[in-house]
Amino acid sequence: MRCRRCGTSIHRRKPESIARTWAFLIAAAILYLPANLLPIMLTSTLLEQRSDTILSGVAALWRDGAWDIAIIVFVASVVVPILKIGVIALLLWSVQSGARWRRSERTRLYRIVEFVGHWSMLDVFVVALLVGLVHFRSFADVQPGPGAVAFAAVVVLTMLASMSFDPRLIWDVPAKNLPPAPKS
Amino acid sequence: MAVQTGDDSKPELVICEHCDSVYQRSPLPAGAVARCLQCGAELYRNRRVDLDTMLALTVTSMIVMAIANAYPVVWMDLGGQSRSVTLWGAVLSSYDAGVGLVAVVSAACIFLMPLLQIAVLIYVLVPLRAGRVPQYFASAMHALRRMQPWSMVEVFLLGILVSAVKLAADAAISPGIGLWGFALLTYLLTLITSYDLHELWDLAAEEQS
Ligand SMILES: [Zn+2]
């Protein structure tokens, strides 16, 4: 069946929503380890050689006194990915176990993780900018590390996971007591 | 999602995309947003699409985008040497340094997706303004919706700020024209995406009937 107006095929729910979302989510969770353990950036200057992971980058900002930027990067790179993986796993589990609790809040939770997810790309862009900018032959050079690739993959995978999830599944389990009739 | 009943161009029923509740469309005060009573998702807005304004914003975005991409976003001075970086400098350096995924994601989310969004909107808006529905209208509208989450100009803007702060301890950093370009582009894209694209479907349906 196709929509009379826009021509896309109509389906009750996104096809294979739960299986697809789990697949993207598990891949994201596995890559989350190298993304955080491997360096995302290697800096060499006359004085030092340094390799930074996501967390040590945040710590360096904090030590330099830029605590506000450190918090922003920490939220975008650490809090948001963990929150997103956790929330989507919770939603999948609750849908699969036929949960009836707090549907409205769960739908809101879904919208929040979908809304904030792309901000995690922040550190990927920072790496690209610094690699492009810092090439001073003898003084300083910045090279990207393998963690940056893993981290970019994590962000893309969590975005695909939240796009594959169908929030209407939350409402599919009939309530024990009849829900309030939708008002017009 | 909207359900067409009868031959009216304006759908009478609206279905919540997040919980499947069905509502009867009722007129809203200007600028208001209708939300689902059950789950709080946005249903529709009363932000009447003004094709002239929207087209003007879109064409301006295209020009600003060209400027933002052509000029350096940041300048850096270190030991008497000066260097700058453009978006493309960052993308190509990342590619050369062996992190292809970083380069591809950056190019796609900061350049390709916003560019396609703007181009597709112009492709849709110009004929609609002349009272015609463009060929492949439905595909173009679907593409717009698909591209939206991958367009990340505002995240890049924050990325420029973070990079500048990281370097500020060791070097003199100054903003480039590209930075102002990306700032303005972020603002313009926010204005453009605040329109309810469903209105364009309604307009197209009016033209076709
Ligand atoms: Zn709803």
Side-chain angles (χ1 to χ4, degrees), chain A residues 22 25 83-96:
Chain A
W22 270 125
L25 196 68
L83 188 79
K84 202 164 172 181
I85 292 174
V87 164
I88 297 174
L90 173 79
L91 292 175
L92 282 168
W93 169 78
S94 74
V95 162
Q96 281 182 308

Side-chain angles (χ1 to χ4, degrees), chain A residues 5-6 8 13 66 104 108 111 118-119 121-122 128-129 132-133 135-136 139 144 149 159 163 167-168 171 183, chain B residues 9 18-20 23 38-41 81 83 90 93-94 97 99 101 105 138 142 149-150 154 159 163 167 201-202:
Chain A
R5 195 177 212 191
C6 78
T8 35
R13 296 292 172 259
S104 175
R108 282 206 173 97
R111 274 201 296 279
H118 69 291
W119 284 96
M121 213 57 104
L122 183 65
L129 277 167
L133 184 60
H135 285 298
F136 293 90
F139 301 124
V149 176
M159 285 181 69
M163 283 171 198
R168 292 171 296 183
W171 300 87
K183 288 173 202 155
Chain B
S9 61
H18 284 176
C19 75
D20 263 1
Y23 296 92
Q38 185 160 251
C39 79
Q81 294 183 52
R83 272 193 65 92
S93 302
S94 305
V99 283
L101 187 64
V105 162
H142 288 307
W150 300 101
E154 71 277 23
S163 310
L167 296 172
W201 284 103
D202 296 339

Side-chain angles (χ1 to χ4, degrees), chain A residues 3-8 10-13 40-41 52 57-58 60-61 64 66 68-69 72-73 76 103-104 107-108 110-111 114 118-140 142-146 148-157 159-160 163 166-172 179-180 182-184, chain B residues 1-2 4-7 9-11 16-24 35-42 73-87 89-91 93-94 97-102 105-106 109-110 138-139 142 146 149-152 154-156 158-167 169 173 198 201-203 205:
Chain A
C3 173
R4 269 173 56 189
R5 195 177 212 191
C6 78
T8 35
I10 298 172
H11 31 72
R12 279 201 77 233
R13 296 292 172 259
I40 58 166
M41 217 159 52
D52 269 315
V58 172
L61 278 169
D64 288 347
D68 40 4
I69 298 291
I72 292 175
V73 176
R103 295 172 206 253
S104 175
T107 315
R108 282 206 173 97
Y110 169 72
R111 274 201 296 279
E114 198 172 50
H118 69 291
W119 284 96
S120 300
M121 213 57 104
L122 183 65
D123 252 348
V124 175
F125 297 158
V126 170
V127 169
L129 277 167
L130 294 180
V131 168
L133 184 60
V134 187
H135 285 298
F136 293 90
R137 293 189 177 284
S138 49
F139 301 124
V142 170
Q143 287 294 315
V149 176
F151 188 70
V154 168
V155 181
V156 170
L157 286 166
M159 285 181 69
L160 290 171
M163 283 171 198
D166 192 334
R168 292 171 296 183
L169 294 169
I170 296 171
W171 300 87
D172 279 349
K183 288 173 202 155
S184 62
Chain B
M1 196 201 294
Q4 197 95 23
T5 52
D7 293 324
S9 61
K10 194 95 173 166
C16 176
E17 287 179 42
H18 284 176
C19 75
D20 263 1
S21 308
V22 182
Y23 296 92
Q24 197 138 40
R35 291 190 178 280
C36 176
L37 289 171
Q38 185 160 251
C39 79
E42 179 176 323
V73 290
V74 181
W75 288 86
M76 176 179 178
D77 277 301
L78 187 69
Q81 294 183 52
S82 185
R83 272 193 65 92
S84 66
V85 67
T86 60
L87 167 62
V91 167
S93 302
S94 305
V99 283
L101 187 64
V102 170
V105 162
S106 304
C109 300
I110 310 165
S139 317
H142 288 307
R146 287 270 165 108
W150 300 101
S151 175
M152 303 185 193
E154 71 277 23
V155 183
F156 183 60
L158 187 59
I160 299 171
L161 178 71
V162 172
S163 310
V165 170
K166 272 181 186 273
L167 296 172
I173 300 295
H198 287 111
W201 284 103
D202 296 339
L203 277 174

Side-chain angles (χ1 to χ4, degrees), chain B residues 42-80:
Chain B
E42 179 176 323
L43 297 169
Y44 54 93
R45 299 176 212 181
N46 184 359
R47 175 110 196 274
R48 194 63 210 170
V49 167
D50 171 4
L51 288 180
D52 287 335
T53 314
M54 209 172 164
L55 188 59
L57 285 171
T58 318
V59 172
T60 313
S61 308
M62 188 63 111
I63 297 164
V64 172
M65 171 130 207
I67 295 170
N69 277 278
Y71 289 92
V73 290
V74 181
W75 288 86
M76 176 179 178
D77 277 301
L78 187 69

